[in-house]
Amino acid sequence: MTPRTMYRKIWESHLVREAPGEPSLIYIDRHLVHEGTSPQAFAGLKAAGRKVRRPDLAFAVMDHSVPTKNRNLPILDAAANGQFEALERNCREYGITLFDMFSHNQGIVHVIGPELGITQPGQTIVCGDSHTSTHGAFGTLAFGIGTSEVEHVLATQCLSQYESKTMHIVVNGKRGKGVSAKDIILAIIGKIGIAGGTSHVVEYSGEAIRGLSMDGRMTVCNMSIEGGARAGMIAPDDTTFAYMEGRPYVPRGKEFQEAVGRWKALATDPGAKFDATVELNANDLAPQVTWGTNPGMVSGVTGRVPDPASFRDPDDQKAVARALEYMGLKPGTAVVDIPVDRVFIGSCTNSRLNDLRAAARVVAGKHVSKNLKGALVVPGSMSIKAKAEAEGLDKIFIDAGFEWRDAGCSMCIAMNPDVLPPGERAASTSNRNFEGRQGKDSRTHLVSPIMAAAAAIEGHFVDIREWNVEAPE
Amino acid sequence: MQPFSTHTGMVLPLDRVNVDTDQMVPKQFLKAQTRQGFGRVLFYDWRYLPGEKPNPEFILNWPRYKGASVMLARANFGCGSSREHAPWAVADYGFRVLIAPSYADIFYNNCFKNGILPVTLPEAQIDELFRRAEAQEGYSLTADLPNQTVSDSTGLKYKFEIDPFRKHVLLEGLDDIGLTLKYAANIDAFEQARHPGATMYEAVDAKYFPKH
Ligand code: SF4
């Protein structure tokens, strides 16, 4: 048999119907739903008199607009509240499991899927959210869809899809001390560009990827979409199985062992062909900081803000000039000389327990800079929050001058009250530095959790390697 | 869905690469529960000054482009968030045709669900169209989906490629869900044939069930 990629294996095992000249119908194993992109889908379903085919395969959560403090108080944002109520109504009406704002399992949709064991290797997973690519860290085919497709999956449990091209990104070598999964993926995007992965599904492999914990692998796969890729995936291995065992939706005992057997067979066969291959070495990788208005505008922390004239393509020159104007940065400024006003540690990229542990190690016994206007830690889920508190991390952060919040998307997208004010500059562990992403006229620098933590202490970026601290596993 | 066959309209040249969907519809407008009315907020932060005063510097507000229904754009148009609010806004504003060298995957796919034709042309041809649209006030293009061409009144005519199935769905204005439901028997058969462990496990631990 011809050797197959993991993507191809999952694709083949989900084919419901194939016909020449038409997209294929593929079966969807898990449909994750949140309040932001689902109301119109449910409304469309209702208007057409259709039912939800498999409510047991859908899981809903409130995350995008939820407040991260004082949840017992009434929600003043009527539009957000309307979406919460709609989600609750729709889930009740169609029999879909919902983790609402008061559930102790509530959290960011891409954090709770893996955490509860809803995400399992070999599955197809979709969600009306581009960072669905996160779940690929378990060897799943997981990708974001629009609201019309959310409706399509609700009605049919299938999607009409063309097979994607495949890209193999191999990260060789070992990360140095202070270098995180976040730095690996930012460096990859810097290398391939934000459209480099367009129409491809990426598989990550290599020593540096294997060496990551599941938390780190999720960080990498999470930002696949920022490189333009449809999805990102990593073959499941013992790290994956150890993470999964005992989680609520994961089978137990003999069933688990049998499942592991099936999951092991998912790995790409030796000799399987990819449409493109990119190689990177982690050995000489520096911590990364974005300076512009997309995740590909990134540099090592020892670098400087570039001069637009140094780009060859006139479109790039214009884009960089515009980005620097928006960011209020001068060409030639050393990255470590960029001051920050606020720090945000959170989002589906970097809000898991290993991220919080590593950031806490950086700030323990220190205090945030007096120039800082605010520093926020927002755990990815209420369960991570509880575990962090059991380890005393909340106390470390609060003593250092951080606010410790309830779980949600928070300042990653600023749909709740956690907004970065106009003109202010944040060191953020999230995934998008687009204009206005964290608030109108706000300025975002994407970094790893330990880089963000150190920036909070110093009031500007620092090369965390000089602090001799461990990066998140 | 509204079918698409041919469309002639004035061209608005949006000369920026990597326009992301956060710019098309900023987050504060994602709390709606309907698909309507997003045209008013298209490119909100670029388009309006404080107090929703039109920003005279942004091209959408230039009088000469009032009524444009063909948007000429640069590479990687529609990157970022999967929000379908972006194509809803593009369509609701009145755009029926997009012309760009490349699109982000999710946005491209979402266009077809909303009766928008996203035309892909090589960079050199896009450059030429930008030159013409900027030089000539009221410059119009005709997008002809059956013949897969974009043309102007001076005889310029570019051929574009499009997936035949997508073309068919757009021409007929077909309902995707209706199409798939024709294969309900295939879906039934697929579900029955699967390994019982492949799809669903119950939550093992009752304490993880939500309250509701
Ligand atoms: S944390 Fe940010 S990127 Fe992740 S799902 Fe929420 S809004 Fe999207």
Side-chain angles (χ1 to χ4, degrees):
Chain A
M1 211 162 70
T2 23
R4 296 177 301 164
T5 61
M6 177 163 57
Y7 170 66
R8 179 69 204 175
K9 291 181 189 180
I10 298 177
W11 175 265
E12 277 179 9
S13 65
H14 289 80
L15 276 172
V16 170
R17 178 180 176 270
E18 267 185 309
E22 288 182 32
S24 300
L25 210 54
I26 63 162
Y27 197 78
I28 301 303
D29 293 326
R30 293 287 185 274
H31 185 192
L32 306 174
V33 177
H34 65 85
E35 80 275 19
T37 53
S38 65
Q40 294 90 346
F42 281 110
L45 201 70
K46 215 165 288 179
R50 288 172 176 145
K51 288 206 290 284
V52 177
R53 182 181 172 97
R54 293 294 301 268
D56 56 327
L57 301 184
F59 294 84
V61 67
M62 298 174 181
D63 60 359
H64 277 65
S65 307
V66 295
T68 53
K69 60 178 181 188
N70 301 331
R71 284 202 180 150
N72 45 337
L73 298 182
I75 291 172
L76 297 177
D77 181 342
N81 204 37
Q83 285 194 334
F84 298 140
E85 286 171 3
L87 186 63
E88 207 165 329
R89 213 169 39 239
N90 289 323
C91 287
R92 199 176 313 118
E93 180 171 346
Y94 292 106
I96 292 170
T97 301
L98 167 68
F99 303 104
D100 73 8
M101 215 177 305
F102 304 103
S103 162
H104 55 257
N105 293 310
Q106 182 267 343
I108 304 169
V109 61
H110 309 309
V111 174
I112 67 162
E115 180 175 273
L116 295 174
I118 293 168
T119 304
Q120 296 174 14
Q123 292 173 336
T124 48
I125 303 182
V126 296
C127 172
D129 189 284
S130 59
H131 292 100
T132 308
S133 58
T134 313
H135 307 264
F138 291 80
T140 70
L141 172 59
F143 52 90
I145 55 178
T147 294
S148 294
E149 287 180 321
V150 170
E151 185 179 335
H152 192 282
V153 175
L154 288 171
T156 69
Q157 203 56 34
C158 292
L159 268 183
S160 181
Q161 291 281 303
Y162 286 101
E163 197 175 346
S164 295
K165 288 187 272 190
T166 52
M167 180 182 283
H168 192 193
I169 299 185
V170 189
V171 189
N172 297 310
K174 272 200 169 66
R175 288 175 293 143
K177 205 167 188 178
V179 179
S180 308
K182 182 67 160 282
D183 302 313
I184 293 180
I185 187 63
L186 281 172
I188 288 172
I189 298 165
K191 185 178 168 109
I192 68 172
I194 61 168
T198 304
S199 69
H200 288 77
V201 166
V202 172
E203 180 174 344
Y204 302 93
S205 75
E207 186 188 357
I209 298 291
R210 286 283 142 230
L212 292 171
S213 69
M214 289 317 293
D215 287 5
R217 294 180 189 185
M218 283 188 259
T219 301
V220 171
C221 288
N222 174 272
M223 288 190 72
S224 303
I225 181 73
E226 308 311 331
R230 196 87 182 90
M233 43 173 55
I234 295 172
D237 58 13
D238 290 342
T239 305
T240 321
F241 310 138
Y243 174 100
M244 294 184 67
E245 191 163 11
R247 294 195 180 259
Y249 284 93
V250 173
R252 306 272 162 105
K254 192 167 137 278
E255 267 188 79
F256 179 73
Q257 292 316 323
E258 283 169 10
V260 167
R262 288 197 302 276
W263 295 338
K264 279 186 174 159
L266 289 166
T268 293
D269 299 327
K273 291 263 182 304
F274 290 87
D275 296 299
T277 301
V278 175
E279 281 194 65
L280 212 79
N281 199 317
N283 287 335
D284 34 43
L285 198 67
Q288 305 283 305
V289 181
T290 64
W291 46 260
T293 51
N294 73 49
M297 293 176 165
V298 65
S299 141
V301 64
T302 52
R304 290 175 182 276
V305 174
D307 189 332
S310 67
F311 290 79
R312 234 180 306 146
D313 182 336
D315 282 346
D316 285 342
Q317 291 178 358
K318 266 189 279 183
V320 169
R322 189 184 155 81
L324 295 190
E325 193 194 323
Y326 181 87
M327 293 296 289
L329 291 171
K330 288 208 175 53
T333 308
V335 169
V336 290
D337 289 339
I338 301 174
V340 302
D341 299 304
R342 284 175 204 268
V343 169
F344 171 62
I345 299 178
S347 91
C348 57
T349 314
N350 280 127
S351 61
R352 286 168 287 265
L353 196 54
N354 282 336
D355 299 320
L356 304 187
R357 281 178 180 149
R361 285 196 294 268
V362 171
V363 304
K366 300 194 174 75
H367 201 273
V368 300
S369 160
K370 59 177 187 325
N371 297 331
L372 217 67
K373 301 196 174 89
L376 215 54
V377 184
V378 183
S381 72
M382 292 309 279
S383 135
I384 291 170
K385 185 181 188 220
K387 285 189 187 120
E389 286 174 357
E391 294 180 12
L393 303 186
D394 57 328
K395 211 172 162 309
I396 294 175
F397 282 116
I398 291 166
D399 287 348
F402 284 82
E403 290 185 63
W404 178 252
R405 296 290 187 83
D406 289 336
C409 295
S410 180
M411 204 187 272
C412 169
I413 191 165
M415 284 177 73
N416 74 349
D418 307 338
V419 178
L420 182 60
E424 287 192 14
R425 192 182 293 289
S428 177
T429 66
S430 53
N431 45 48
R432 281 189 180 137
N433 49 348
F434 295 151
E435 288 182 24
R437 173 73 179 186
Q438 297 190 288
K440 187 171 160 55
D441 295 328
S442 63
R443 294 161 172 168
T444 304
H445 296 272
L446 303 175
V447 286
S448 76
I450 52 173
M451 283 289 287
I457 301 301
E458 294 298 324
H460 58 83
F461 292 109
V462 294
D463 187 345
I464 190 67
R465 289 173 299 183
E466 291 163 7
W467 288 29
N468 198 28
V469 289
E470 295 292 342
E473 281 169 18
Chain B
M1 193 188 68
Q2 194 182 359
F4 187 104
S5 174
T6 63
H7 174 83
T8 302
M10 193 209 293
V11 179
L12 177 123
L14 185 68
D15 195 2
R16 284 182 197 181
V17 285
N18 300 320
V19 172
D20 61 77
T21 55
D22 273 67
Q23 308 315 319
M24 295 188 203
V25 178
K27 60 195 162 267
Q28 63 269 34
F29 304 110
L30 303 183
K31 294 172 190 165
Q33 294 188 43
T34 66
R35 299 173 193 237
Q36 285 81 41
F38 285 95
R40 189 185 67 79
V41 303
L42 177 67
F43 294 120
Y44 190 87
D45 286 349
W46 290 346
R47 185 168 155 197
Y48 296 113
L49 297 168
E52 275 195 25
K53 279 222 313 279
N55 177 356
E57 282 178 23
F58 185 54
I59 192 161
L60 214 67
N61 295 322
W62 296 7
R64 68 176 271 194
Y65 294 118
K66 200 168 160 22
S69 59
V70 176
M71 196 185 327
L72 188 58
R74 293 290 184 188
N76 198 30
F77 191 71
C79 60
S81 159
S82 62
R83 58 189 70 165
E84 198 165 316
H85 310 68
W88 294 339
V90 167
D92 189 52
Y93 183 90
F95 289 107
R96 295 228 62 205
V97 180
L98 302 176
I99 306 176
S102 58
Y103 302 85
D105 292 334
I106 304 178
F107 178 82
Y108 184 76
N109 198 29
N110 282 340
C111 283
F112 288 95
K113 317 278 181 203
N114 292 283
I116 301 167
L117 172 64
V119 173
T120 310
L121 291 175
E123 295 268 4
Q125 295 181 356
I126 295 285
D127 287 343
E128 178 58 30
L129 294 180
F130 264 97
R131 269 194 293 277
R132 293 184 180 220
E134 284 163 0
Q136 188 188 324
E137 194 158 338
Y139 182 72
S140 283
L141 282 169
T142 298
D144 177 335
L145 180 56
N147 292 305
Q148 297 180 216
T149 58
V150 168
S151 57
D152 71 10
S153 57
T154 71
L156 170 144
K157 189 178 265 189
Y158 294 144
K159 188 107 183 125
F160 64 86
E161 294 300 319
I162 190 163
D163 169 68
F165 186 77
R166 285 193 154 128
K167 174 177 172 179
H168 165 71
V169 170
L170 208 49
L171 279 172
E172 305 293 328
L174 296 176
D175 160 30
D176 274 348
I177 299 178
L179 279 180
T180 299
L181 287 174
K182 284 200 294 191
Y183 306 114
N186 298 58
I187 307 174
D188 291 342
F190 180 89
E191 282 178 340
Q192 277 150 24
R194 289 196 92 184
H195 185 284
T199 325
M200 192 54 207
Y201 298 106
E202 291 298 319
V204 177
D205 191 337
K207 87 173 193 275
Y208 284 91
F209 280 115
K211 285 195 211 125
H212 295 279

